[in-house]
């Protein structure tokens, strides 16, 4: 992994449906980006560490992403899983400026 | 014995307690310390090999056979450790202990200690047989083993379990559910040699052979043979014979993990040696569980280990500084493959002077045996019927003299056997109710008197019923006896977890307030937000408001967003409608062409008489639908799925009526109707019932004389239920109408995810017949109107192919390049 962080322009805010997520691959890193009904935009790893579920297809429960495969949940801010024995996922800082979404990774 | 600063008035000095091992012994010790003294003087650190909190290893076979999710068998989640200020190094294996410096080393962590406890448990013994490293050869010990075995078992035909002990039979039971032919191989002359004598072992063998398992005893394994790709294919025995094996599970006993202790110079024999204070040779170092040897005995069952942790916790916290552990008498009740079994002492160990009392009833596979030595019961086993087990165990545990008429051991002094009229009130307080957690009646009664009146809350307070769960009925009975009634968990009546209202109140509230979207309901009436509640509310609101419903797509599960069923590789399955399971040459050719064009990985005929295209990428969905030109089969959602039919009178020489025509008409009328759970229909053209109508949510069977019998509430999935007869009607039109009324009544009155097989018995078939056939509530006209309204609102969801409902609905991963540095 490179030690330097990159700020990468991702998409427009309108590309992100309200209350849902979308999958991106930034360089070699697959991520899932969500826009909550409350207006928060956040990015996490694309894949559930349990059985590889595509998190971007998951539903949101407040600030948690629910994996579509077996309903393991991960928190938007910490990446922590609600289930014992499942490791947390990485989170990536996101900025929205004038409708442009950028992610840092 | 642990010098602590306990001078009154001074805060106690914090001591560092390190527990190596996070299994059933290590974690239990920590719990016992917290329970013995919430203000205990320790900073506790636990090392665990596995990257998890601790779980109930006893229930692993349930994970393997799929009756329990791994999530359900965890005892303490990771958060529990944090809540109790216990530092857990999960996934860190302690590699070295320096007893001079009093430090434990593990994968880059150094943890100093004042008190150290070894709870390193044991590991599966892998016999030195050639071929144990082949692909497909497993041990059975951890949650990961279960997952790996279950994943590998997919599509396999045969499995061999090496070892006919308790754990081996549990593994065999788990494997049976994966549709493989299971053989159990035991080196000894009979199964469960530790708990049973030869006669008992044979009885057990007959019973499990009836379940379809092959048993091979006195069998010495020479090697595991592999195919050309390094995957196991057979087990080869010493006599040269072979048994085919796509999977091998080794369960040949356990070996204590004593190495870490031995390496730091502690005395070990078969396991780490401890005295009655559970101390090793070092006054700062203790041991509990399967890794220790106490008075020559190494225990492998949970009950004695919990006696050890309790004694050690009392000692360490000084709540009982003189607590000692003097050994356990082992009596266990088990259920192996549905066979109930009680065992105590060593039944195979018979001395010439012993009296052996046996009773056998071969027809029912019942076998009872007790060994009486010097007038006392010293061992015994009971199989198949545990009627007298408690009595025999009690003689064994208390060492009181056995009755002079030995038959009274089994049959009581008169008619006193534990029958149907057995009274819970007569049960002594010290009688154990929960054998998994060692909880007595008295403890449970105290909890009930303290206000715990649900089975769950009693479980939380006492742990009763939280192991295998088989004593929950007894707990329920005790609550009834003490409290008069069992309180239901109030949330059981709620329609969805996030809104504390039952369905009728929720519907009324939603109507009064005019709440037409999921977010509006959650905002005004909700106490939280979760995906299940959103799904349930979306379904209810759509039924309630029809075209006025404000459809928020984030309230839908992925399947309902892209109108296809997500698969385990992130692709989707596409099933077009095939009305009544009837298709045409042109449609089949079209389906075949689409399958070729999109390189569909599997084309599968479904159980509902249609064709499934599997492995479609999300961004191919619109193209597939367009090229098919057929409507969605709704195979991915809680809605009307299929109408299965037989060919009926059109071709069948037995057919008495046109079942395909009725099936097609039903499917065309009710396609797109959404319900609280999926709904499957079947129409059979004669009582031979080839469309399996008697196990459908709604079934129709043609009768001689031209009538149709309408059936409801059947199932043949995880749950099997035969339908109830709703009514008989004379014409096809009447059948369609009465079914429509039933469907709408079910839609509007069932709980979320309540299938008809629960709904129909809950309401009662008489009551339903009254409402739907005889119009006892005067709502039939409303039901008919609702049918028409719902049918009129049907739009094929696959038309969204040309007009996506939101950004990225049918788009896969978007690739974004990294900026140039």
């Amino acid at each position: 992994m490179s030690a330097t962080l990159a700020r990468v322009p991702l998409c427009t805010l309108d590309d992100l449906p309200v209350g849902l997520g979308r999958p991106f691959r930034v360089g070699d890193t697959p991520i899932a980006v969500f826009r909550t009904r409350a207006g928060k935009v956040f990015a996490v790893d694309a894949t559930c560490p349990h059985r590889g579920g595509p998190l971007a297809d998951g539903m949101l429960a407040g600030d948690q992403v629910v994996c579509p495969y077996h309903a393991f949940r991960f928190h938007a801010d910490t990446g922590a899983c609600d289930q014992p024995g499942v490791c947390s996922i990485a989170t990536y800082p996101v900025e929205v400026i004038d409708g442009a979404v950028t992610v840092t990774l | 014995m642990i010098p602590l600063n306990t001078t009154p008035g001074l805060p106690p000095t914090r001591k560092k307690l390190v527990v190596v091992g996070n299994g059933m012994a290590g974690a239990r010790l920590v719990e016992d310390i917290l329970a013995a003294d919430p203000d205990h003087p320790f900073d506790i650190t636990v090392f665990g090999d596995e990257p998890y909190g601790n779980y109930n290893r006893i229930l692993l076979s349930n994970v393997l056979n799929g009756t329990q999710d791994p999530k359900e068998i965890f005892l303490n989640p990771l958060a529990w450790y944090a809540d109790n200020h216990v530092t857990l190094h999960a996934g860190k294996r302690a590699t070295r202990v320096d007893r001079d410096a009093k430090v434990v080393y593990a994968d880059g962590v150094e943890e100093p200690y004042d008190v150290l406890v070894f709870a390193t448990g044991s590991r599966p013994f892998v016999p030195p047989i050639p071929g144990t490293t082949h692909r497909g050869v497993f041990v059975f010990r951890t949650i990961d083993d279960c997952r790996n075995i279950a994943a590998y078992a997919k599509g396999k035909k045969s499995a061999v379990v090496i070892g006919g002990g308790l754990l081996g039979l549990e593994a065999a039971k788990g494997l049976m559910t994966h549709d493989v032919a299971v053989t159990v191989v035991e080196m000894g002359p009979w199964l469960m040699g530790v708990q049973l004598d030869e006669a008992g072992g044979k009885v057990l063998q007959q019973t499990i052979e009836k379940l379809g398992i092959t048993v091979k005893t006195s069998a010495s394994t020479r090697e595991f043979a592999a195919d050309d790709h390094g995957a196991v294919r057979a087990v080869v025995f010493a006599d040269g014979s072979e048994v085919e094996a796509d999977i091998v599970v080794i369960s040949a006993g356990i070996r204590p993990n004593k190495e870490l202790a031995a390496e730091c110079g502690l005395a070990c024999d078969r396991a780490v040696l401890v005295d009655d204070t559970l101390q090793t040779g070092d006054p700062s170092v203790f041991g509990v569980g399967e890794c220790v040897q106490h008075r020559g005995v190494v225990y492998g069952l949970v009950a004695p280990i919990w006696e050890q942790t309790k004694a050690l916790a009392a000692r360490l916290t000084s709540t009982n500084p003189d607590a000692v552990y003097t050994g356990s008498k082992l009596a266990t009740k088990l259920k192996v493959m549905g066979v109930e079994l009680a065992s105590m002492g060593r039944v195979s160990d018979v001395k010439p002077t012993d009296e052996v009392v046996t009773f056998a009833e071969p027809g029912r596979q019942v076998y009872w045996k007790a060994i009486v030595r010097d007038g006392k019961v010293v061992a015994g086993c009971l199989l198949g019927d545990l009627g007298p087990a408690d009595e025999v165990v009690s003689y064994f545990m208390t060492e009181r003299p056995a009755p002079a008429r030995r038959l009274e051991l089994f049959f009581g002094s008169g008619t006193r056997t534990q029958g149907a009229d057995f009274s819970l009130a007569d049960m002594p307080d010290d009688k154990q109710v929960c054998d998994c957690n060692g909880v007595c009646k008295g403890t449970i009664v105290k909890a009930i008197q303290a206000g715990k009146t649900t089975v769950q809350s009693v479980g939380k307070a006492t742990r009763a019923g939280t192991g295998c769960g088989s004593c929950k009925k007894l707990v329920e009975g005790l609550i009834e006896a003490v409290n008069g009634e069992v309180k239901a968990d109030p949330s059981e009546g709620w329609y969805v977890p996030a809104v504390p209202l039952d369905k009728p109140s929720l519907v009324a509230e939603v109507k009064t307030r005019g709440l037409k979207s999921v977010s509006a309901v959650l905002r005004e009436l909700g106490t939280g937000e979760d995906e299940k509640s959103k799904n349930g509310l979306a379904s209810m609101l759509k039924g309630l408001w029809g075209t006025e419903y404000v459809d928020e797509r984030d309230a839908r599960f992925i399947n309902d967003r892209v109108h296809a069923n997500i698969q385990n590789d992130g692709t989707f399955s596409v099933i077009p409608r095939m009305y009544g399971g009837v298709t045409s040459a042109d449609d089949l050719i079209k389906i075949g062409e689409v399958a070729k064009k999109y390189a569909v990985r599997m084309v599968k005929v479904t159980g509902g008489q249609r064709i499934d295209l599997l492995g479609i990428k999300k961004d191919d969905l619109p193209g597939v639908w367009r090229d098919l030109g057929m409507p969605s089969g709704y195979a991915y959602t809680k809605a009307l799925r299929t109408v299965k039919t037989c060919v009926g009178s059109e071709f069948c020489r037995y057919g008495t009526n046109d079942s395909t025509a009725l099936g097609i008409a039903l499917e065309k009328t009710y396609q797109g109707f959404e319900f609280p759970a999926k709904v499957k229909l079947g129409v059979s053209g004669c009582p031979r019932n080839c469309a399996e109508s008697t196990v459908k949510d709604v079934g129709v069977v043609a009768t001689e004389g031209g009538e149709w019998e309408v059936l409801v509430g059947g199932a043949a999935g995880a749950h099997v239920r035969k339908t109830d007869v709703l009514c008989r009607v004379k014409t096809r039109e009447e059948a369609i109408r009465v079914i429509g009324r039933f469907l709408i009544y079910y839609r509007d009155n069932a709980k979320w995810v309540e299938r008809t097989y629960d709904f129909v018995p809950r309401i009662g078939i008489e009551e339903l017949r009254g409402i739907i056939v005889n119009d006892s509530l005067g709502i039939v006209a409303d039901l008919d109107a609702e049918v028409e309204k719902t049918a009129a609102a049907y739009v094929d969801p696959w038309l969204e192919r040309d007009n996506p409902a939101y950004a990225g609905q049918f788009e896969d991963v978007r690739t974004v390049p990294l900026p140039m540095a």
Side-chain angles (χ1 to χ4, degrees):
Chain A
M1 289 302 274
S2 133
T4 51
L5 293 175
R7 261 183 96 236
V8 185
L10 205 58
C11 61
T12 68
L13 189 58
D14 289 341
D15 287 334
L16 300 175
V18 174
L20 288 169
R22 285 192 70 168
F24 291 85
R25 175 179 286 274
V26 182
D28 289 330
T29 311
I31 62 171
V33 183
F34 294 84
R35 175 183 181 184
T36 71
R37 203 156 261 285
K40 173 173 178 164
V41 177
F42 66 92
V44 296
D45 279 341
T47 312
C48 177
H50 172 232
R51 281 291 174 86
L55 293 176
D57 284 339
M59 293 180 68
L60 290 172
D63 277 352
Q64 289 181 310
V65 184
V66 184
C67 176
Y69 279 5
H70 305 98
F72 286 42
R73 297 178 179 202
F74 300 90
H75 201 278
D77 300 333
T78 62
C81 182
D82 72 320
Q83 290 300 324
V86 179
C87 45
S88 56
I89 54 175
T91 60
Y92 304 93
V94 174
E95 289 166 276
V96 183
I97 297 165
D98 294 337
V101 181
T102 57
V103 65
T104 304
L105 77 176
Chain B
M1 67 160 316
I2 303 300
L4 292 173
N5 179 355
T6 49
T7 318
L10 283 178
T13 319
R14 304 297 289 175
K15 295 246 165 199
K16 290 189 82 65
L17 169 66
V18 174
V19 181
V20 181
N22 187 35
M24 298 201 64
R28 180 69 170 211
L29 173 68
V30 175
E31 281 181 46
D32 286 346
I33 288 173
L34 296 171
D37 182 4
D39 305 316
H40 65 83
F42 295 109
D43 291 325
I44 305 178
T45 302
V46 179
F47 284 93
D49 231 6
E50 296 180 66
Y52 310 118
N54 82 312
Y55 53 84
N56 192 342
R57 221 180 276 283
I58 299 169
L59 300 178
L60 276 182
S61 69
N62 291 353
V63 174
L64 181 57
N65 71 26
T67 54
Q68 280 190 304
D69 192 88
K71 283 190 250 175
E72 292 172 30
I73 74 163
F74 279 98
L75 296 170
N76 292 318
L78 292 174
W80 176 86
Y81 294 85
D83 291 347
N84 288 289
H85 311 291
V86 174
T87 309
L88 173 65
H89 295 299
K92 297 245 186 236
R93 175 187 286 251
T95 50
R96 190 163 70 84
V97 174
D98 182 337
R99 289 196 291 126
D100 296 326
K102 292 195 167 188
V103 176
V104 178
Y105 297 88
D107 294 350
V109 181
E110 286 184 30
E111 202 66 61
Y113 66 81
D114 297 302
V115 178
L116 176 64
V117 179
F118 279 95
T120 45
S122 58
R123 61 178 177 276
F125 169 61
V126 178
I129 299 171
T132 51
T133 53
H134 293 325
R135 201 146 36 80
V137 180
F138 298 91
V139 293
F140 180 58
R141 177 72 182 167
T142 65
I143 236 174
D144 287 338
D145 294 334
C146 283
R147 286 182 176 144
N148 294 338
I149 294 170
Y152 191 83
K154 272 197 197 124
K156 299 289 187 297
K157 290 200 189 71
S158 56
V160 171
V161 177
I162 304 291
L166 174 59
L167 207 60
L169 296 180
E170 292 275 319
K173 172 175 121 189
L175 282 165
M176 284 232 302
T177 54
H178 292 280
D179 248 3
V180 291
V182 181
T183 305
V184 174
V185 172
E186 166 61 37
M187 234 169 84
W190 65 82
L191 295 174
M192 291 190 71
V194 179
Q195 291 91 354
L196 297 178
D197 67 349
E198 180 164 10
K202 296 284 180 215
V203 170
L204 178 64
Q205 180 172 342
Q206 285 163 11
T207 316
I208 69 173
E209 278 170 347
K210 279 193 187 159
L211 300 174
I213 290 180
T214 311
V215 178
K216 209 169 150 63
T217 53
S218 304
S220 172
T221 306
R222 191 171 74 198
E223 68 165 317
F224 303 124
D227 62 15
D228 298 341
H229 310 288
V232 69
R233 67 163 182 85
V235 175
V236 185
F237 298 100
D239 61 5
S241 64
E242 285 192 15
V243 170
E244 200 178 292
D246 301 331
I247 312 166
V248 169
V249 176
I250 298 177
S251 177
I254 53 172
R255 291 291 178 271
N257 290 322
K258 62 176 178 183
E259 290 73 12
L260 185 65
E263 278 160 19
C264 67
L266 293 170
C268 296
D269 180 25
R270 282 182 296 139
V272 187
L273 295 174
V274 294
D275 61 17
D276 283 1
T277 68
L278 296 158
Q279 185 194 305
T280 64
D282 178 331
S284 309
V285 183
F286 299 81
V288 286
E290 291 182 326
C291 68
V292 305
Q293 180 175 338
H294 171 264
R295 296 195 188 184
V297 183
V298 180
Y299 294 96
L301 288 169
V302 78
I305 289 167
W306 288 356
E307 288 174 37
Q308 294 173 356
T309 57
K310 201 168 178 189
L312 183 57
R315 232 182 149 76
L316 292 179
T317 56
S318 299
T319 44
N320 178 4
D322 303 322
V324 285
Y325 172 76
T326 55
S328 299
K329 297 193 72 148
L330 288 183
T332 49
K333 274 197 262 177
L334 311 162
K335 198 167 179 182
V336 192
M337 309 238 199
V339 184
E340 292 200 280
L341 183 92
S343 153
M344 66 217 83
R346 300 173 59 88
V347 266
S348 304
D349 188 12
V350 182
K351 297 196 160 77
T353 50
D354 288 346
E355 288 173 60
V356 180
V357 187
T358 53
F359 170 79
E361 205 186 324
R364 285 203 307 137
Q365 267 92 34
V366 173
Y367 178 74
W368 300 340
K369 172 173 183 173
I371 298 174
V372 181
R373 188 175 299 157
D374 303 327
K376 291 171 188 167
V377 175
V378 293
C381 64
L382 296 93
L383 207 65
D385 181 339
L386 296 194
D390 290 337
E391 195 70 6
V392 181
V393 168
S394 144
Y395 278 108
F396 168 76
M397 296 298 274
T398 58
E399 298 180 16
R400 69 177 192 271
R405 296 170 69 224
R406 304 293 196 223
L407 69 86
E408 287 179 18
L409 274 174
F410 295 148
F411 301 102
S413 53
T415 54
R416 195 172 50 85
T417 43
Q418 188 171 314
D421 54 353
F422 168 74
S423 162
L424 283 170
D426 295 342
M427 189 193 270
D429 274 357
D430 61 353
K431 165 91 192 332
Q432 191 157 299
V433 171
C434 173
D435 290 328
C436 291
N437 290 302
V439 189
C440 298
K441 178 194 163 192
T443 313
I444 295 171
V445 168
K446 260 186 222 151
I448 299 166
Q449 285 162 343
K452 312 290 182 203
T453 51
T454 66
V455 176
Q456 295 94 312
S457 61
V458 168
K460 254 193 183 156
T462 67
R463 303 170 71 95
T466 59
C468 74
S470 63
C471 65
K472 279 185 180 170
K473 276 268 161 238
L474 268 177
V475 173
E476 207 178 292
L478 284 170
I479 297 172
E480 266 170 27
V482 175
N483 192 54
E485 56 165 351
V486 182
K487 276 245 183 68
D489 184 343
S491 65
E492 268 173 30
W494 302 347
Y495 175 66
V496 290
V499 184
L501 292 170
D502 62 18
K503 190 163 178 181
S505 323
L506 177 59
V507 167
E509 202 65 32
V510 161
K511 279 187 176 160
T512 327
R513 298 184 189 217
L515 305 174
K516 293 179 185 172
S517 72
V518 171
S519 63
V521 174
L522 286 174
R523 192 172 52 239
E524 298 220 0
L525 304 170
T527 53
E529 181 190 326
D530 65 275
E531 76 289 358
K532 282 192 195 120
S533 299
K534 290 204 267 189
N535 293 329
L537 290 172
S539 163
M540 189 196 87
L541 292 175
K542 186 168 182 187
L544 206 58
W545 295 110
T547 48
E548 287 176 70
Y549 167 57
V550 180
D551 183 2
E552 294 165 341
R553 294 303 173 103
D554 60 317
R556 297 190 187 190
F557 184 61
I558 178 68
N559 288 5
D560 293 297
R561 272 181 269 143
V562 302
H563 319 300
N565 196 345
I566 193 164
Q567 304 295 309
N568 65 10
D569 61 351
T571 66
F572 292 86
S573 126
V574 168
I575 303 182
R577 271 245 180 266
M578 194 172 278
Y579 297 98
V582 177
T583 182
S584 66
D586 284 341
D587 277 354
L588 284 176
I589 288 167
K590 215 188 277 175
I591 290 172
E593 279 169 351
V594 169
K596 270 191 178 169
K597 176 173 173 186
Y598 292 91
V600 166
R601 264 174 46 217
M602 183 186 274
V603 182
K604 169 103 179 58
V605 175
T606 72
Q609 298 186 335
R610 28 200 208 172
I611 292 176
D612 192 351
L613 304 175
L614 289 137
I616 310 279
K617 294 206 290 288
K618 196 196 273 176
D619 37 17
D620 280 340
L621 288 171
V624 169
W625 298 337
R626 204 174 290 123
D627 292 346
L628 283 172
M630 301 168 192
S632 163
Y634 277 77
Y636 43 81
T637 190
K638 301 187 193 314
L640 181 102
R641 293 281 181 92
T642 61
V643 184
K644 183 170 182 166
T645 67
C646 68
V647 290
S649 57
E650 213 171 337
F651 285 93
C652 179
R653 63 203 158 91
Y654 298 113
T656 61
N657 215 330
D658 193 348
S659 47
T660 46
L662 174 54
I664 291 168
L666 280 168
E667 195 162 346
K668 289 205 161 152
T669 311
Y670 299 122
Q671 62 184 338
F673 277 47
E674 292 181 36
F675 300 104
K678 64 182 167 187
V679 170
K680 299 175 176 183
L681 273 57
V683 184
S684 298
C686 82
R688 281 174 191 75
N689 188 22
C690 293
E692 296 157 357
S693 305
T694 49
V695 287
K696 294 284 182 265
D697 294 288
V698 177
V700 186
V701 178
T703 62
E704 195 65 55
E707 294 193 337
W708 298 102
E709 189 166 69
V710 179
L711 313 161
V712 293
H719 185 97
V720 179
R721 182 177 192 273
K722 189 176 185 231
T723 45
D724 296 314
V725 179
L726 184 65
C727 59
R728 273 190 183 210
V729 294
K730 290 199 166 29
T731 65
R732 180 197 297 176
E733 288 64 38
E734 278 178 272
I736 295 172
R737 200 174 317 124
V738 78
I739 288 170
R741 290 172 190 163
F742 170 77
L743 290 175
I744 292 297
Y745 189 76
Y746 163 66
R747 183 192 77 183
D748 292 346
N749 292 280
K751 297 177 198 165
W752 178 234
V753 303
E754 182 181 31
R755 292 283 304 267
T756 63
Y757 62 72
D758 280 328
F759 175 75
V760 169
R762 176 165 71 83
I763 304 293
I765 188 67
E766 300 291 331
E767 178 78 14
L768 273 174
R769 193 177 298 127
I771 296 166
I772 288 157
V773 183
N774 304 323
D775 201 8
S776 59
L777 300 181
I779 59 166
V780 160
D782 295 342
L783 294 175
D784 286 343
E786 196 57 41
V787 167
E788 266 181 43
K789 208 172 95 187
T790 310
Y794 166 69
V795 180
D796 175 17
W798 284 1
L799 296 176
E800 281 179 9
R801 62 192 175 224
D802 298 319
N803 198 4
Y806 59 87
Q809 185 180 10
F810 300 117
E811 281 178 50
D812 259 331
V813 181
R814 187 188 280 192
T815 301
V816 179
L818 279 176
M820 304 298 278

